[in-house]
């Protein structure tokens, strides 16, 4: 079965704090892809990152960083020095060979509130 | 270039009426997906198209829901005899996925907000 769990329903931080959003996945595939999307209040999902299962290197993009650990089936997302504009719902997603990589399994999302 | 577009952006209808939701994918994208997002909830997969065919219709909630895609481009999601529980945001996404490309990113449209009274 393919499943993505985002246990944190909602997180509130004060601006400039660091925050980590957790994502744990389940899959029987050996080849799979993981994604993070941001959904701001406007509603449109914005792609943030795509990572394949063979690349466990952490990635940093500005204030964003991602920690992929196959040993714990986790793909966590950290925002450093959070800003009010980071307030959004963040979704983690998984796609695998079982469905030819075309079916995305989304977590239930984590709502991040960044207060000034 | 242009992103995924959806129309209408908002739709209010009466229970029992049929509605059609339209999605224009990014030019050149062979795969197209429909999702439903109820208020405050995650994304529920409905259906995806590879070209004009739909290999996976398993997510369609009932036989009142149908979708088609013509010319490998525009797709229409039709909901017949709408019910109040159909009220949600319907999101469309597209990707370059084909036999030679794996795990392609899905790019989303702004969604259609459907309210069934």
């Amino acid at each position: 079965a393919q499943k993505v769990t985002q246990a944190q329903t909602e997180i509130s931080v004060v601006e400039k704090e660091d925050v980590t959003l957790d994502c744990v996945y389940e899959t029987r595939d050996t080849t799979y892809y993981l994604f993070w999307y941001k959904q701001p209040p406007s509603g449109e999902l914005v792609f943030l990152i795509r990572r394949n299962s063979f690349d466990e290197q952490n990635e940093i993009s500005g204030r964003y960083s991602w920690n992929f650990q196959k040993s714990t089936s986790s793909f966590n997302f950290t925002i450093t020095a959070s800003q009010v504009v980071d307030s959004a719902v963040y979704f983690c997603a998984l796609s695998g060979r079982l469905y030819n990589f075309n079916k995305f399994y989304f977590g239930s999302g984590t709502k991040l509130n960044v207060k000034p | 270039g242009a992103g995924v577009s959806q129309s209408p952006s908002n739709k209010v209808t009466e229970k029992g009426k049929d509605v059609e939701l339209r999605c224009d994918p990014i030019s050149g994208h062979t795969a197209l997906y429909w999702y439903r997002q109820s208020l405050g909830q995650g994304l529920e997969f409905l259906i995806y198209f590879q070209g004009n065919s739909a290999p996976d219709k398993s997510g369609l909630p009932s036989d009142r829901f149908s979708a088609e895609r013509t010319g490998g481009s525009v797709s229409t999601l039709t909901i017949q005899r709408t019910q109040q529980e159909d009220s949600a945001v319907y999101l469309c996404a597209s990707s370059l996925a084909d036999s030679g490309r794996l795990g392609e990113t899905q790019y989303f449209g702004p969604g259609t907000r459907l309210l069934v009274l």
Side-chain angles (χ1 to χ4, degrees), chain B residues 8-20:
Chain B
S9 53
N10 292 281
K11 177 70 175 180
V12 181
T13 191
E14 294 180 351
K15 178 181 173 181
K17 296 283 180 68
D18 298 351
V19 295
E20 284 190 355

Side-chain angles (χ1 to χ4, degrees), chain A residues 36-106:
Chain A
W36 276 95
Y37 286 84
K38 173 183 179 179
Q39 188 176 41
S42 61
E44 188 163 345
L45 271 83
V46 177
F47 164 71
L48 295 178
I49 189 171
R50 165 179 177 258
R51 176 54 52 86
N52 76 55
S53 53
F54 298 108
D55 182 3
E56 288 193 71
Q57 281 193 332
N58 293 332
E59 180 153 343
I60 298 174
S61 176
R63 296 184 297 106
Y64 295 170
S65 62
W66 290 269
N67 184 348
F68 176 29
Q69 292 195 347
K70 289 178 73 171
S71 60
T72 55
S73 297
S74 65
F75 186 43
N76 296 338
F77 173 31
T78 297
I79 302 175
T80 303
S82 60
Q83 300 177 2
V84 172
V85 293
D86 296 327
S87 296
V89 180
Y90 291 86
F91 290 95
C92 181
L94 164 73
S95 75
R97 185 178 294 277
L98 180 63
Y99 279 94
N100 201 27
F101 303 98
N102 286 326
K103 185 171 182 177
F104 278 29
Y105 292 82
F106 282 86

